Amino acid sequence: MRNSKIAGVGHYVPEKVVTNFDLEKIMETSDEWIRERTGIQERRYFQEGVDTTSNMGAKASMKALEMAGLKPEDVDMIVFATLSPDYVFPGSGVLMQREMGLKEIPALDVRNQCSGFVYALSVADQFIKTGMYNNILVVGSEIHSNGLDFSTRGRNVSVIFGDGAGAVVLSPSEKEGQGILSTHLHADGEFAEELAVIDPGSTKKDRLTHEMIDEGTVYPYMNGNQVFKHAVTRFPEVIEEALNKNGYKASDIDMLTPHQANLRITSYIQQKMGLPVEKVMSNIHKYGNTTAASVPIALSEAVQEGRIKEGDLVCMAAFGSGFTWASALIRW
């Protein structure tokens, strides 16, 4: 069975920069409070009429294809991870397909929130390994800023999230031992409501009411303590799982690219794994938490900055709503 490799990476973020000082003007918060608790200094917000979840994914994908030396017509499949699709249905995968002029190839949407990109990568990896497809676009793209509660009530969540997209091209590896070595996926639905948007949902007779809006159930809810407690446990576990599966130890990692949830969580993982700062990618200060887009954006920037080179051992890991968590270990 053949391996799959990341042949190209790319990312796109909207032009609009929103700083902590901008948020101070619309809710009771402060730059100091946000930095201390999250490490975030600014984030990007989409521009209506310019950015959509699908076209941001397309822009990131075109950059990934360029790096891979491929054209859009070389793509055999799209796996699109997002919690913020353009429409309720259809999914953003087919919209990105249309945006890129791709004809009749399959487009699969993945809904695993912060773990979405790693889940999507694992799905695409199986299609490559079995020989069914050769070049697959794996995309994470999110627009959060039009679905947040920018009142003081919602500040604990709303200061965290930003918009953006990242993509990779997955192709067969021509070198033995190169590419995705293994992926590891987990979930525990017992904690589903600890990080969720409950309404509008299908469990009520009226899918959307004024009461839902007034009560704030249409906005993201997060039990920060529960999320933090589980994240700092599950992140190291799933990283160790990948290392043990392949006979490596933490010190063998050349670059860890974790989901950018919170700088405190990233710092905890770095210390727990005994990794130096330069071996852990962190860009949450610039973009905030972009959910399914955070891992591919971070990966793309690490490659751009020359922090990942051929032969490096790269680990991706994510934890988020569901709860879901996942990792992938890659020989670059």
Side-chain angles (χ1 to χ4, degrees):
M1 190 175 291
R2 61 185 186 171
N3 272 4
S4 59
K5 67 175 181 180
I6 294 176
V9 298
H11 71 279
Y12 169 85
V13 291
E15 290 185 5
K16 184 179 180 181
V17 177
V18 178
T19 69
N20 295 342
F21 298 105
D22 293 324
L23 296 181
E24 286 181 358
K25 300 171 185 175
I26 58 175
M27 64 177 77
E28 290 183 23
T29 190
S30 69
D31 173 63
E32 181 183 5
W33 189 92
I34 297 169
R35 286 184 188 229
E36 181 182 325
R37 286 162 177 77
T38 69
I40 299 167
Q41 300 174 31
E42 60 187 41
R43 69 287 290 148
R44 302 297 181 97
Y45 285 175
F46 88 116
Q47 291 180 269
E48 187 173 356
V50 176
D51 302 306
T52 68
T53 300
S54 56
N55 77 21
M56 292 195 308
K59 290 171 182 175
S61 295
M62 290 302 294
K63 293 178 181 178
L65 286 168
E66 182 180 357
M67 178 179 170
L70 298 172
K71 299 177 181 178
E73 53 264 33
D74 296 319
V75 176
D76 300 313
M77 185 183 189
I78 295 166
V79 186
F80 198 111
T82 187
L83 65 74
S84 53
D86 303 67
Y87 307 140
V88 174
F89 68 88
S92 292
V94 297
L95 301 179
M96 191 185 91
Q97 178 194 41
R98 180 176 67 187
E99 184 87 20
M100 297 180 67
L102 306 176
K103 301 297 184 183
E104 298 185 359
I105 64 168
L108 174 67
D109 285 61
V110 173
R111 283 290 305 273
N112 287 92
Q113 294 67 250
C114 299
S115 303
F117 180 80
V118 184
Y119 264 72
L121 191 75
S122 180
V123 170
D125 181 43
Q126 310 312 310
F127 281 112
I128 300 266
K129 280 181 173 175
T130 59
M132 188 167 182
Y133 298 119
N134 287 320
N135 299 307
I136 302 178
L137 281 173
V138 185
V139 183
S141 183
E142 304 284 8
I143 290 178
H144 291 301
S145 59
N146 60 1
L148 300 172
D149 181 357
F150 286 104
S151 70
T152 298
R153 175 184 64 183
R155 62 184 172 181
N156 288 356
V157 173
S158 297
V159 300
I160 295 172
F161 292 97
D163 306 338
V168 305
V169 179
L170 214 60
S171 301
S173 174
E174 298 173 0
K175 293 184 179 179
E176 188 173 348
Q178 182 191 53
I180 296 177
L181 305 179
S182 63
T183 58
H184 307 269
L185 313 178
H186 299 280
D188 188 348
E190 180 182 348
F191 304 97
E193 288 77 25
E194 301 296 347
L195 178 51
V197 176
I198 303 301
D199 293 314
S202 60
T203 60
K204 299 180 178 72
K205 180 180 177 181
D206 297 316
R207 287 183 65 89
L208 182 62
T209 65
H210 288 293
E211 287 75 15
M212 294 174 187
I213 297 170
D214 293 340
E215 292 171 6
T217 56
V218 297
Y219 298 116
Y221 165 79
M222 179 173 65
N223 182 335
N225 289 335
Q226 277 277 28
V227 172
F228 186 88
K229 181 177 73 172
H230 285 267
V232 296
T233 300
R234 298 305 191 182
F235 259 117
E237 278 182 0
V238 80
I239 294 168
E240 288 286 1
E241 181 181 5
L243 292 169
N244 292 337
K245 170 72 174 178
N246 295 281
Y248 292 110
K249 52 188 183 294
S251 58
D252 294 317
I253 295 175
D254 295 298
M255 179 56 65
L256 174 64
T257 308
H259 164 55
Q260 307 292 302
N262 184 305
L263 184 58
R264 290 191 300 158
I265 293 174
T266 300
S267 297
Y268 179 90
I269 298 164
Q270 176 232 318
Q271 293 167 17
K272 177 77 172 178
M273 304 303 297
L275 293 170
V277 173
E278 60 271 17
K279 289 192 174 186
V280 181
M281 184 62 188
S282 178
N283 61 4
I284 193 170
H285 60 288
K286 294 192 293 184
Y287 305 127
N289 181 339
T290 55
T291 311
S294 82
V295 170
I297 291 174
L299 183 70
S300 178
E301 287 208 326
V303 171
Q304 275 188 359
E305 294 168 9
R307 297 176 64 181
I308 296 176
K309 61 185 184 300
E310 187 172 351
D312 280 354
L313 190 66
V314 178
C315 185
M316 302 177 194
F319 173 88
S321 172
F323 290 144
T324 61
W325 58 103
S327 66
L329 194 65
I330 301 167
R331 178 63 70 182
W332 200 262

